[in-house]
Amino acid sequence: MKILQTQTLRGPNYWSIRRAKLILIRLDLEDLANRPSDTIPGFYNGLISVLPSLEEHHCSPGCRGGFLSRVQEGTMVGHILEHVALELQVLAGMEVGFGRTRETVTPGVYQVAIEYQNEAAGRYATRAAHRLCKSLAETGTYPEAELQTDLEDLVELRTEAALGASTEALIREAEALNIPWMELENCDLHQLGYGKYQKRLQAALTSHSNVLGVELACDKERTKEILTRMGAPVPLGKVIYAFSELDNAIEDLGGYPIVIKPLDGNHGRGITIDIQSKEQVEIAYDRAKDISTGVIVEHFYQGRDHRILVVNHKVVAVAERVPAHVVGNGKDTIAALVEQENRDHRRGAGHDNILTHIQLDDATDAMLSRQGFTVDTVLQPNQIGYLRATANLSTGGIAIDRTDEIHPETVWLAERVSRIIDLDIAGIDVITTDITQPLSQADGVIVEVNAAPGLRMHIAPSEGRARNVAAPIIKMLFPPGTPTRVPIVAVTGTNGKTTTTRLIAHICRQVYDAVGFTTTDGIYIGDRLVEKGDTTGPLSAQMVLQDPTVDIAVLETARGGILRSGLAFSQCDVGVVLNVAADHLGLGDINTVDQLARVKGVIAETVHPDGYAVLNADDPRVAAMAAQVPGKVAYFSMDPENEVLRSHLKQGGIAAVYDQGYLTIVQQDQVHRIEHVKQVPVTLGGMAPFMIANALAASLAAYVQGVTVKQIQAALHSFKASEQQTPGRMNLFNLGQFHVLVDYAHNPAGYKAVGGFVKNWTGPAIGVVGGPGDRRDQDLIDLGKLSATFFDQIIVKEDDDGRGRAPGNAAELIVQGICQGGAESAASHSVRLDEAEAIIWALDNAPKESLVVVFPDNVSRTISLIKARNPIVEKPEEA
Ligand code: ATP
Ligand code: ATP
Ligand code: MG
Ligand code: MG
């Protein structure tokens, strides 16, 4: 048994729309291909002894133990691997439960889809499940030690990937409000919302955080100066840079007790408080000096430590922070009490847990000795032993909610201070003997103002009420009623995606300032190409959604990207499905047109409940997708008599239809004639039926997105199938004596579509045809057969890149097809393998009034060859 391929799906996909995060493997069962689990000696017993918790998997029987009974009765090992991979993740603390296993057309080769929370952990669990199942099949066991290592590694991957506590809280709040988010890779930034509505986060720093405010808060001395000037109480003190200045500084403060801390410090590092003597001062000075050249000497304020969290200049939470300490019980030593305390499941390493482990080190020893203790002291019942001088959570402190107790004057002061420092999210540290009194009456001071304050002490205080402080932060970024997503129009289908996407983008320009769109030719923001290439996958879509200037996204969404990694978005506002026809069959384990329809159907299934699926009523597979659409449906059709269309209209639906030469939108009893095809250049005066269909789809998509009929009409006038607007798609050139059409058709449906136009041409038609080498033999034969039905003369050429075929081989198959056309096709043919040569020959020998149709491999080369013959530039149509 071996894994042939591993893919990571990150968005709605062929396997699931909702459970979109999946590891997908191709698994070759090899020697196990014909051996269900009941025929493998010891497998069942081995499995239940290694992973007894599989009992919880219901599987198809739908009850506890369901899956294990299937293993007992006999199921294929691929299916078992799926359940094992899920269970390993669950055991490592990642709640997952969705999986699918399907045999491919290759006997013994399976596709297995396994849900994950964290990509790296999902891939690891899949590999581990493979090892485990293989070992069970070969030996009936899997060593306990290996299982332990697997689980430890999984836990490590999970913790490594976990978001910080503050970020996690903010992201969960955004999710609860259905605000999309994504990680901006390698930037340590998170984006909330799409396009021009986006806001960014980095822990508790946001797009609204002001760099001047952040820098001011990070400079404790400047903060104190400005607060003093504004009349806010701050500790008395000064900054010194040399040991010789120390005595004077202490004298200025009126003597001990004092505090010494580094000028540029954080997390309580290098701070010594409650210094009472000359010798303590010297040690303290050195500790601070190790961290920073400047040293703050301050009066020591007796009192308790508080953090006031101010969001958008409103106090949203107050926490009292108590330094790490233990409470005696009359029998255990301090060391033992610390150990017990650290066993609290809320405590962990670093900032990621609610609380942090208490470390015993020099600082704790010093603190204990000041109270006359050592780690071996046994404290009296209820006697407190402090382990740290400062209350930072990161050194083991705890937090107690005091939001309801703070005095209103201090609330007012804190809100004023957040404006003085100019921070959207400020953590104000206050020392006071009594938080219920004004600072002035309780010897209170503001010790410092923190930018990017930690949120976990408020979200999960060790005592008192938990405060959802993420909510006001998200509300500040997105006040109720403000949009968070730019509309997404996604376009899929076998043929016409790029043309329709461009046309929709063009229509949307009438209304939106910056349309971001992706196509097979590249990514465009506004009118500009920002990246060339086949950009129809999720990364390209993401680029558009991440662009802060974009106000609507129109995304060509091809089969390849959906299969490879799923969609980049979980919902679209308009999902257009143009058609489904045989193309790319045999790739990505998609072998039938029905399977292909399920791939394209992902777009229809992702339509937002208030959005629209724009479906082709003339294509039964597309029309049938209506049943899966969570939102509303709008149909387009070339035929006013189409049954699906008629019944849809009867029920009050919206549709676009080609009726008596007009592109028409019908909604209930309203009929809007958009324009006659003669005035719609992209349809080549109505001679290219499939372009009429594309124009209907585009108009309908724009209409349901709120563009008016007038605006659509204006846009249709100015959109041509020209080599500038749709290079390689129905570009017609007038060479005086004859015309040349360049079109990128590359599958039977595309050829048929162009055939529809050729048949409307009155003069003789010459085809320069070829097909991509990676298609099946039969596809190439069919291309030949089809061409013979509408060309009088055919020149067969090949692509520059044979994609795995020997030169001449593809051409031979196409010729075979032409000859099979039989009596119906009287086309003469010749073979000229080199594309440029074939085109030149055709242009040199084209009869008068004829139409030369080139299906190019290299579009730009073909167009230059034609332009070299000075085509006549048509006068722009009068509007
Ligand atoms: P953090 O990064 O956690 O905010 P920090 O390194 O920035 O810490 P400060 O906030 O200045 O340091 O001080 C840390 C703690 O030390 C305070 O919360 C308070 O408990 C104590 N402290 C600091 N200055 C004084 C003072 N003048 N009087 C009494 N206690 C003080
Ligand atoms: P690709 O899969 O290469 O990205 P696409 O779906 O983006 O293709 P377009 O580039 O718009 O399609 O058009 C490619 C060709 O497909 C056109 O040149 C034309 O021959 C044919 N075609 C376009 N629209 C249709 C349609 N609605 N029905 C059938 N064929 C079409
Ligand atoms: Mg502080
Ligand atoms: Mg395309």
Side-chain angles (χ1 to χ4, degrees), residues 220 261 266-268 271 298-299 301 305 390 392 431 448:
K220 288 184 183 171
K261 50 185 164 183
N266 55 28
H267 301 318
I271 299 187
E298 254 173 27
H299 176 69
Y301 290 82
D305 224 297
T390 61
N392 308 72
I431 293 182
E448 71 158 340

Side-chain angles (χ1 to χ4, degrees), residues 307 321 429 448 450:
R307 166 64 62 81
R321 299 190 297 167
D429 288 345
E448 71 158 340
N450 295 281

Side-chain angles (χ1 to χ4, degrees), residues 308-586:
I308 305 174
L309 181 67
V310 189
V311 173
N312 204 17
H313 314 303
K314 285 265 164 282
V315 169
V316 297
V318 180
E320 179 185 338
R321 299 190 297 167
V322 184
H325 64 278
V326 287
V327 183
N329 56 11
K331 51 180 203 282
D332 291 315
T333 63
I334 289 179
L337 292 171
V338 167
E339 213 184 298
Q340 285 164 27
E341 181 61 36
N342 280 342
R343 259 184 253 135
D344 184 334
H345 70 276
R346 291 175 304 176
R347 290 199 186 262
H351 277 278
D352 297 334
N353 290 65
I354 296 172
L355 296 171
T356 305
H357 282 141
I358 302 171
Q359 308 269 0
L360 292 178
D361 53 21
D362 292 352
T364 40
D365 287 347
M367 187 64 204
L368 288 171
S369 92
R370 230 188 291 164
Q371 300 160 80
F373 306 144
T374 72
V375 287
D376 298 321
T377 307
V378 175
L379 296 173
Q380 297 305 309
N382 294 326
Q383 189 182 14
I384 292 182
Y386 285 98
L387 298 151
R388 293 278 165 179
T390 61
N392 308 72
L393 290 190
S394 55
T395 54
I398 64 163
I400 304 166
D401 178 64
R402 300 282 183 214
T403 310
D404 295 329
E405 291 160 48
I406 187 173
H407 190 274
E409 187 178 306
T410 314
V411 169
W412 170 83
L413 177 67
E415 291 174 355
R416 179 165 168 260
V417 164
S418 85
R419 286 191 194 269
I420 292 172
I421 305 298
D422 199 6
L423 278 176
D424 61 333
I425 304 178
I428 302 179
D429 288 345
V430 161
I431 293 182
T432 173
T433 53
D434 186 356
I435 193 74
T436 66
Q437 298 300 313
L439 295 190
S440 54
Q441 284 168 35
D443 197 20
V445 284
I446 294 173
V447 180
E448 71 158 340
V449 178
N450 295 281
L455 306 180
R456 73 173 165 154
M457 69 185 88
H458 309 294
I459 290 164
S462 351
E463 278 173 43
R465 220 175 105 186
R467 306 281 166 173
N468 178 6
V469 297
I473 294 176
I474 301 296
K475 199 164 158 190
M476 164 183 73
L477 296 176
F478 299 101
T482 40
T484 62
R485 312 163 177 256
V486 297
I488 296 177
V489 181
V491 181
T492 196
T494 300
N495 287 307
K497 296 183 292 298
T498 300
T499 316
T500 308
T501 300
R502 282 180 178 275
L503 185 46
I504 294 172
H506 182 75
I507 298 173
C508 286
R509 279 199 193 106
Q510 309 282 320
V511 183
Y512 295 89
D513 292 329
V515 182
F517 64 103
T518 61
T519 68
T520 322
D521 310 322
I523 304 174
Y524 295 78
I525 304 293
D527 297 333
R528 303 197 188 273
L529 176 67
V530 294
E531 191 168 310
K532 227 173 137 61
D534 187 346
T535 55
T536 53
L539 290 180
S540 313
Q542 237 170 43
M543 186 205 277
V544 170
L545 297 175
Q546 285 174 4
D547 190 292
T549 64
V550 160
D551 57 4
I552 184 170
V554 186
L555 307 171
E556 174 173 352
T557 309
R559 165 208 64 92
I562 303 177
L563 285 176
R564 207 169 44 246
S565 40
L567 301 180
F569 45 87
S570 57
Q571 286 177 336
C572 60
D573 298 84
V574 182
V576 183
V577 187
L578 294 169
N579 43 53
V580 180
D583 195 11
H584 297 108
L585 293 183

